[in-house]
Amino acid sequence: MTEVIPSLRVSPGQAHPLGASELENGVNFAIFSQHATSVTLCLQLPQSREKLDTLHGEMIELTLDPQVNRTGDIWHICVEDLPRSNVLYGYYMDGPKDWSQGHRFDRSILLIDPYAKLVEGRRVFGDLNNRGSQFLGTFDFDTLPFDWGDGYKLPNIPEKDLVIYEMNVRGFTADESSGLDPSIRGSYLGVIEKIPHLLELGINAVELLPAFEFDELEFQRRRNPRDHMINTWGYSTINFFAPMSRYASAGGGPVSASREFKEMVKALHGAGIEVILDVVYNHTNEADDENPYTTSFRGIDNKIYYMVDLNNGGQLLNFSGCGNTFNCNHPVVMEFILDSLRHWVTEYHIDGFRFDLASVLCRGADGSPLNAPPLVRAIAKDSILSRCKIIAEPWDCGGLYLVGSFPNWDRWAEWNGVYRDDVRKFIKGDAGMKGSFASRMAGSADLYRVNKRKPCHSINFVIAHDGFTLYDLVSYNTKHNDANGEGGNDGSNDNFSWNCGAEGETADPKIQALRSRQMKNFHLALMASQGVPMMLMGDEYGHTRYGNNNSYGHDTAINHFQWGHLEAKNDHFRFFSELIKFRNRHHVFRRENFIGKSQVTWHEDNWDNAESKFLAFTLHDENGDDVYLVFNAHDYFVKVGIPSPPQKRQWFRVVDTNLESPDDVVLEGVPGIGTRYNVAPYSSVLLKAKKK
């Protein structure tokens, strides 16, 4: 059965695949909604818009007949003779109005297809003249498949060898100091231009803050205390298949964004750098019931896509801290998430994923924790995802803290929040932390030596995007978040930071020197630990956010990489870069399995003394290339006896954080180490055994 509607011929279409797909006789549209009673497909053809980068134009509405255009819970229609690109589309949906049963249908809101592979909206990031932009799905069946190149191959770096650099696509090159043409600042192409910096630093994986489509101006759609903010971190997803369109160069839009994203991945892979995406499947941009921002899931089938409390008037459950919680273990939602992940692996060649607030993925529809969550298992067992790194942030905002116990099937790695806290406490001189610090340096076997888990399942970090930067960790005792519009109530209060004697900026040379030393101590600890190290963009030059530990809403120098500072802090950068390279060259830091007694000697008989803040140990190498490490978190010098080196070897000093650059790190080592070493307050030393 075929009918004619404003010059468009339509037929019933098919239920799969979901989203917009190309058929021989037209474009098929398929969307899931179990509870909708009315579905209308809306199309905007390119000739109905003045310019392709505007969303203003006539909409063609095609009402779907549930007797003809519905198979099970999937609504579908084929539109014949439709242009193969530059068509915008969305849906109007209606259904039950009973909020107490979890429904939120609103026929007046034009909705984005959850399976849209591209999303069109405002073209320029932070364009305040277009803050109320509508977002709609689109497709491109005209462009030839992306050319990955004849010699192209995936890096396939073993997990134990990763050094991860957490970064934000826009923040990396948005600043004028990047020296890039304004048209590519803050874009995927901008990242390509700065690959030489990443190679000089020595990292081999980037973990990109969310790069799925999000609305950076969501705070400005209504009057509120945060309406001065621009969401630069992106933890507020609109669509889980489309790359962030405003990371395209020169306002190029979604088709350009898709192509340039692939160009970025191809270039990073060509440089031997893997690409891990930070993905946010725990909630969406659609907020709460008080101030909803309905763009898709809420209006399509709220009761399916979100956790609702049917015993409390159908209220949204909020384990994400953002007003809603994705119903991840519902069969339909689970398959949606898997389809999204597979899409990024097959279409964009992504190497891995870091799952934001991943404990949400371990909850059932009513929010209760599950011992064997179906989604987490499916991700671990999926054949397409089998080559990917999968990393959990093993907590959520509902108190489900799973560090060391995240359901894993021997596949999942975890952000090790215990590592972060214990290392911060020890390095700043807290009492009673020596044993814990030793455990973290040794790979956190107390947390991860279960079944077939390995040290690489611990993602070690001292600093991440949320919280203090490394410079701020040693410069502020308390957070300074007044600029965020929440009265300083946002952001963590448990920072385990120490300002080294003055809050914030100071001209005191002694305090400056101590801060520099502490940053180096943290970096040495991170790079010498068993497990996978992760560092934050900007820490390689000592980036400051002036004490703001929750800077998600500032599209300014607070979040933008300061390339001028990088040049000015070359000594700091050199230390960071050299240590990363030292780690990469020495397998004693990158053990496949947890270290045993034959691989480490703890030079310690003072474990039970809470006042002892000094730790020394030797990592043994099968070839005699041992490494000796000492950390002194006391405020006084400690003269330590150096153990004898292996036979036919002598000790060479590689690192002493108390020394000025370039003596603070010398990769080939400095000879002449005696039997005792005077370790300065708040400093650390690394010696390497070399042939005489």
Side-chain angles (χ1 to χ4, degrees):
M1 115 179 225
T2 302
E3 56 178 320
V4 178
I5 295 183
S7 77
L8 293 178
R9 295 164 62 85
V10 301
S11 57
Q14 58 192 46
H16 294 284
L18 291 167
S21 57
E22 190 176 25
L23 299 180
E24 188 174 335
N25 63 330
V27 176
N28 189 74
F29 297 87
I31 189 169
F32 165 88
S33 181
Q34 179 180 329
H35 295 103
T37 55
S38 165
V39 176
T40 301
L41 173 66
C42 300
L43 300 170
Q44 190 178 100
L45 305 185
Q47 60 266 32
S48 75
R49 311 202 298 281
E50 292 180 15
K51 294 188 300 181
L52 291 181
D53 64 348
T54 66
L55 300 176
H56 305 296
E58 294 182 6
M59 278 283 182
I60 297 170
E61 297 189 9
L62 305 175
T63 300
L64 278 61
D65 182 345
Q67 302 302 314
V68 175
N69 302 106
R70 182 173 185 173
T71 302
D73 293 327
I74 297 175
W75 302 71
H76 47 82
I77 187 170
C78 178
V79 184
E80 301 174 16
D81 305 319
L82 200 61
R84 280 344 193 222
S85 61
N86 293 316
V87 174
L88 305 183
Y89 76 101
Y91 292 91
Y92 287 122
M93 291 203 178
D94 210 352
K97 299 295 191 291
D98 189 350
W99 275 45
S100 67
Q101 291 302 306
H103 300 303
R104 303 294 188 271
F105 288 103
D106 186 337
R107 173 64 175 77
S108 69
I109 299 176
L110 190 56
L111 304 167
I112 305 165
D113 176 6
Y115 275 83
K117 303 306 185 293
L118 301 169
V119 171
E120 178 74 85
R122 78 177 72 83
R123 288 282 181 102
V124 178
F125 192 93
D127 178 8
L128 297 178
N129 294 321
N130 201 6
R131 57 165 56 91
S133 172
Q134 174 81 53
F135 293 89
L136 292 171
T138 187
F139 48 81
D140 176 26
F141 301 130
D142 283 330
T143 301
L144 291 172
F146 182 77
D147 180 10
W148 290 92
D150 294 337
Y152 170 81
K153 62 179 182 179
L154 299 166
N156 283 325
I157 300 169
E159 282 186 87
K160 70 181 181 63
D161 295 334
L162 289 176
V163 179
I164 300 173
Y165 184 78
E166 192 191 25
M167 61 173 285
N168 175 268
V169 169
R170 175 167 172 79
F172 196 44
T173 64
D175 197 80
E176 184 179 358
S177 64
S178 68
L180 301 183
D181 186 275
S183 65
I184 67 168
R185 290 178 197 159
S187 71
Y188 302 121
L189 296 187
V191 173
I192 296 175
E193 293 296 314
K194 295 298 186 180
I195 287 176
H197 168 73
L198 300 176
L199 291 175
E200 186 181 1
L201 181 59
I203 59 93
N204 57 20
V206 292
E207 184 174 300
L208 303 180
L209 264 63
F212 296 179
E213 187 70 29
F214 65 92
D215 181 5
E216 73 279 11
L217 296 181
E218 62 182 3
F219 306 129
Q220 304 198 16
R221 302 181 80 89
R222 61 179 179 83
R223 296 292 297 170
N224 69 91
R226 297 189 294 166
D227 59 14
H228 61 294
M229 308 262 273
I230 295 176
N231 186 344
T232 56
W233 286 0
Y235 290 87
S236 195
T237 312
I238 280 180
N239 174 280
F240 292 92
F241 287 83
M244 176 57 170
S245 60
R246 285 168 299 290
Y247 289 168
S249 63
V255 175
S256 292
S258 176
R259 183 186 67 253
E260 291 173 6
F261 193 109
K262 293 171 186 174
E263 290 176 7
M264 175 187 70
V265 173
K266 180 180 176 180
L268 286 164
H269 282 175
I273 297 172
E274 292 199 338
V275 181
I276 299 168
L277 295 185
D278 192 333
V279 290
V280 191
Y281 293 107
N282 62 82
H283 76 284
T284 75
N285 66 294
E286 294 187 303
D288 54 19
D289 283 330
E290 185 177 354
N291 293 293
Y293 177 22
T294 304
T295 56
S296 185
F297 308 94
R298 180 182 171 93
I300 292 169
D301 207 330
N302 186 82
K303 188 174 184 177
I304 298 296
Y305 281 113
Y306 294 111
M307 296 183 192
V308 295
D309 186 353
L310 296 178
N311 296 317
N312 186 29
Q315 294 298 306
L316 291 169
L317 292 169
N318 181 16
F319 298 107
S320 68
C322 297
N324 63 67
T325 310
F326 223 42
N327 192 12
C328 298
N329 285 298
H330 185 284
V332 170
V333 184
M334 180 175 81
E335 197 58 36
F336 167 79
I337 293 172
L338 289 168
D339 285 343
S340 164
L341 293 168
R342 294 171 188 138
H343 175 71
W344 287 98
V345 172
T346 56
E347 185 72 16
Y348 293 97
H349 294 197
I350 293 305
D351 302 290
F353 303 93
R354 176 267 187 188
F355 292 80
D356 183 64
L357 298 183
S359 290
V360 165
L361 280 57
C362 301
R363 293 182 183 273
D366 63 355
S368 58
L370 304 173
N371 290 328
L375 173 61
V376 174
R377 182 185 187 279
I379 291 170
K381 301 290 185 181
D382 190 85
S383 60
I384 292 175
L385 305 179
S386 62
R387 71 167 183 82
C388 293
K389 282 76 178 175
I390 49 176
I391 304 167
E393 182 184 35
W395 52 81
D396 63 16
C397 293
L400 189 55
Y401 190 78
L402 296 174
V403 173
S405 59
F406 190 86
N408 57 79
W409 286 272
D410 299 324
R411 274 272 283 136
W412 283 80
E414 302 174 13
W415 267 26
N416 189 345
V418 175
Y419 178 97
R420 174 199 59 208
D421 296 347
D422 286 353
V423 171
R424 286 185 178 192
K425 291 175 185 176
F426 177 83
I427 294 293
K428 80 183 183 74
D430 282 6
M433 293 306 301
K434 180 162 61 175
S436 297
F437 179 66
S439 295
R440 302 309 141 232
M441 295 294 297
S444 297
D446 56 325
L447 297 173
Y448 298 108
R449 188 158 50 190
V450 180
N451 299 327
K452 296 179 182 178
R453 300 191 91 180
K454 310 256 185 207
C456 66
H457 291 127
S458 173
I459 307 299
N460 299 330
F461 67 104
V462 178
I463 303 296
H465 66 275
D466 49 357
F468 282 145
T469 65
L470 185 58
Y471 177 87
D472 290 356
L473 184 69
V474 300
S475 303
Y476 293 90
N477 284 346
T478 58
K479 65 186 182 183
H480 296 263
N481 292 4
D482 291 342
N484 299 350
E486 298 186 48
N489 292 317
D490 64 308
S492 174
N493 295 315
D494 300 319
N495 298 291
F496 308 118
S497 62
W498 176 43
N499 65 20
C500 297
E503 188 74 356
E505 297 302 307
T506 179
D508 187 319
K510 290 184 179 179
I511 294 175
Q512 290 178 340
L514 177 54
R515 289 175 177 176
S516 175
R517 208 155 66 240
Q518 288 289 73
M519 287 190 281
K520 293 176 184 179
N521 294 334
F522 279 120
H523 190 59
L524 176 59
L526 182 63
M527 290 302 146
S529 294
Q530 305 296 317
V532 175
M534 183 188 77
M535 64 171 290
L536 176 66
M537 172 186 98
D539 280 349
E540 67 266 39
Y541 65 80
H543 182 83
T544 182
R545 295 176 183 152
Y546 304 100
N548 192 326
N549 76 350
N550 192 30
S551 65
Y552 64 93
H554 300 283
D555 189 35
T556 65
I558 285 180
N559 282 318
H560 295 172
F561 195 100
Q562 299 297 296
W563 293 93
H565 291 187
L566 175 66
E567 294 176 17
K569 301 286 185 65
N570 189 56
D571 290 347
H572 181 96
F573 172 79
R574 177 184 164 276
F575 183 91
F576 271 57
S577 173
E578 295 287 79
L579 265 189
I580 293 172
K581 291 165 186 169
F582 189 79
R583 176 187 174 85
N584 290 340
R585 295 171 190 168
H586 294 82
H587 81 100
V588 293
F589 304 123
R590 299 178 284 110
R591 296 283 189 184
E592 180 77 30
N593 298 304
F594 289 100
I595 55 178
K597 291 182 178 179
S598 65
Q599 294 160 325
V600 63
T601 298
W602 303 100
H603 306 294
E604 185 59 60
D605 55 10
N606 212 8
W607 291 110
D608 296 328
N609 182 358
E611 295 306 312
S612 176
K613 305 171 185 180
F614 185 92
L615 182 69
F617 59 98
T618 300
L619 296 173
H620 299 296
D621 176 80
E622 294 81 358
N623 301 315
D625 296 331
D626 289 9
V627 171
Y628 172 81
L629 285 147
V630 56
F631 291 87
N632 180 17
H634 287 292
D635 58 2
Y636 51 82
F637 277 88
V638 175
K639 189 168 286 189
V640 62
I642 304 295
S644 299
Q647 283 189 336
K648 298 181 181 179
R649 298 288 202 280
Q650 66 183 39
W651 291 116
F652 285 69
R653 188 196 74 234
V654 177
V655 175
D656 185 337
T657 61
N658 188 51
L659 300 178
E660 297 291 326
S661 181
D663 297 324
D664 52 354
V665 56
V666 181
L667 290 192
E668 63 272 21
V670 177
I673 304 300
T675 58
R676 299 186 71 78
Y677 199 106
N678 203 17
V679 185
Y682 299 111
S683 73
S684 46
V685 174
L686 184 153
L687 308 180
K688 181 187 175 182
K690 294 175 64 174
K691 290 181 180 178
K692 295 181 180 179

